[in-house]
Amino acid sequence: MSAFDAYLRLEGSLDGSVLMDESMARHTSYRIGGKADLFLVCHSYRIGGRARLFVPCDSLSDLSLVFSVLREEEVPWAVIGRGSNLLVADEGIEGLVIVLGEKFARIDIEGNLLTAQAGATNKQVAEAARDAGLTGYEFASGIPGSIGGAAIMNAGAYDGEFKDVGVSVTCLTLEGEVVTVSAADAQWNYRHSMMSDRGYIVLDATIHLVPFDKDKISARMAELKQRREDKQPLELGSAGSTFKRPIGYYAGKLIQDAGMQGHTVGRAQVSTKHAGFVVNMGGATAADIRQVIVDVQNAVFADAGVHLETEVRMWGFDD
């Protein structure tokens, strides 16, 4: 593997758009993380009236070039949106991180269908739907992160999930092919999708919504926003709900019953406001966060015999 050789090749081809040794703390909601060897931000452009991917310089062919170089140099890669469900190790991560963020966030609406590029936030999508008088995505209006991430993990909240509205997603395969994945083929279930299994990059997602009164949509979004603010530690760095909901249980209740709410390692803590969140109180390391997660898993298993699986993705850790 030669990340430096890959950098030299990509830097020459993509006109200065590739960075080296970029701190991932700048790109995650935990505000924690070591450096990525290489870092690439993707933009967007239009073909045939529809938004598609644009790596800063030319066209979708540039992204194919990126993957060709990565394969030849045997450099690992990963894709993020807003980094809202990610913990990066203090030691950093090897390879290239590709970012589909705010410069890749176009939203188009045609009838009852809304198509958003992967970097559009869930809030932006919900607000665009509201402004068009379309209901169905209010549940996601407060979920941090992008619609690309929501499609990959079948994000959900307040009795709604992405699969309830998802029609299709446009993806880039590991072989560099652009494919459209239908709802039937996406295999959405609890915090999971076929795209995640296959390592597809979601470029955009199309959802089906229903006409409704704008004021009532706004009221519902405001209600959910207030509920989040009342119950969740939004003022602190976190990755949202740290653990998946076990079948037949609530993670927060299991953590409370195991006596772990408020458990602290360094500057990482099980939130005293919501036991389902492991938060950065300011100055926590990724190792602190990881240790709190492990401590909680061990305590809950010892107390209730239930293994808590993480929703948070963890990159750069040995195990």
Side-chain angles (χ1 to χ4, degrees):
M1 179 190 74
S2 175
F4 184 68
D5 287 344
Y7 169 77
L8 292 177
R9 293 177 63 182
L10 293 173
E11 176 74 357
S13 300
L14 300 178
D15 193 23
S17 59
V18 182
L19 304 176
M20 289 193 72
D21 295 330
E22 175 72 2
S23 172
M24 292 302 295
R26 298 177 54 191
H27 304 283
T28 68
S29 57
Y30 257 128
R31 305 163 197 159
I32 291 172
K35 296 177 180 179
D37 289 339
L38 303 175
F39 193 84
L40 172 64
V41 179
C42 293
H43 296 239
S44 63
Y45 76 115
R46 298 185 62 143
I47 289 182
R50 195 175 184 202
R52 285 297 186 213
L53 191 64
F54 173 65
V55 177
C57 184
D58 190 17
S59 68
L60 182 58
S61 63
D62 282 337
L63 194 61
S64 297
L65 167 65
V66 169
F67 284 103
S68 176
V69 170
L70 295 178
R71 284 193 295 268
E72 291 173 12
E73 299 294 341
E74 299 183 341
V75 173
W77 59 273
V79 178
I80 67 171
R82 302 294 171 130
S84 60
N85 193 39
L86 177 63
L87 178 67
V88 177
D90 302 305
E91 295 77 16
I93 49 179
E94 296 181 341
L96 173 69
V97 174
I98 301 170
V99 181
L100 304 179
E102 61 185 17
K103 296 180 180 180
F104 186 63
R106 183 182 177 87
I107 299 172
D108 293 306
I109 298 175
E110 184 175 347
N112 292 355
L113 296 179
L114 182 153
T115 298
Q117 289 183 309
T121 67
N122 291 308
K123 180 181 179 182
Q124 289 170 336
V125 172
E127 289 176 344
R130 174 202 62 201
D131 294 345
L134 296 173
T135 187
Y137 208 66
E138 295 92 314
F139 74 90
S141 60
I143 297 177
S146 65
I147 192 171
I152 282 285
M153 68 173 294
N154 186 32
Y158 301 115
D159 300 320
E161 292 182 287
F162 189 86
K163 69 180 180 63
D164 299 334
V165 295
V167 173
S168 64
V169 289
T170 305
C171 301
L172 188 72
T173 71
L174 294 176
E175 294 71 37
E177 181 184 4
V178 177
V179 298
T180 298
V181 180
S182 68
D185 291 335
Q187 300 175 21
W188 283 306
N189 55 50
Y190 184 68
R191 305 300 178 262
H192 172 265
S193 72
M194 173 274 284
M195 295 81 72
S196 177
D197 288 343
R198 296 190 183 181
Y200 286 6
I201 299 174
V202 172
L203 303 180
D204 64 43
T206 297
I207 59 177
H208 181 271
L209 305 172
V210 179
F212 198 56
D213 182 83
K214 294 181 184 181
D215 291 338
K216 292 181 179 179
I217 297 173
S218 293
R220 175 61 173 163
M221 289 171 61
E223 174 197 350
L224 296 181
K225 181 175 183 290
Q226 189 61 55
R227 288 171 66 178
R228 285 184 177 277
E229 291 176 350
D230 290 344
K231 296 182 178 181
Q232 299 181 8
L234 303 181
E235 70 281 3
L236 297 174
S238 79
S241 296
T242 305
F243 303 99
K244 296 179 180 179
R245 179 180 173 182
I247 296 175
Y249 300 91
Y250 291 96
K253 179 67 162 53
L254 288 170
I255 294 167
Q256 289 176 328
D257 290 347
M260 294 300 286
Q261 186 162 19
H263 175 68
T264 302
V265 175
R267 295 293 294 168
Q269 182 186 72
V270 178
S271 170
T272 57
K273 191 173 186 179
H274 190 307
F277 287 63
V278 176
V279 297
N280 175 7
M281 296 189 295
T285 65
D288 292 340
I289 298 288
R290 177 64 187 277
Q291 189 60 55
V292 170
I293 290 172
V294 171
D295 291 349
V296 167
Q297 289 173 319
N298 290 339
V300 168
F301 188 79
D303 182 66
V306 176
H307 175 66
L308 292 179
E309 295 183 45
T310 58
E311 282 195 22
V312 178
R313 294 180 298 164
M314 290 182 271
W315 289 359
F317 296 91
D318 290 339
D319 55 354

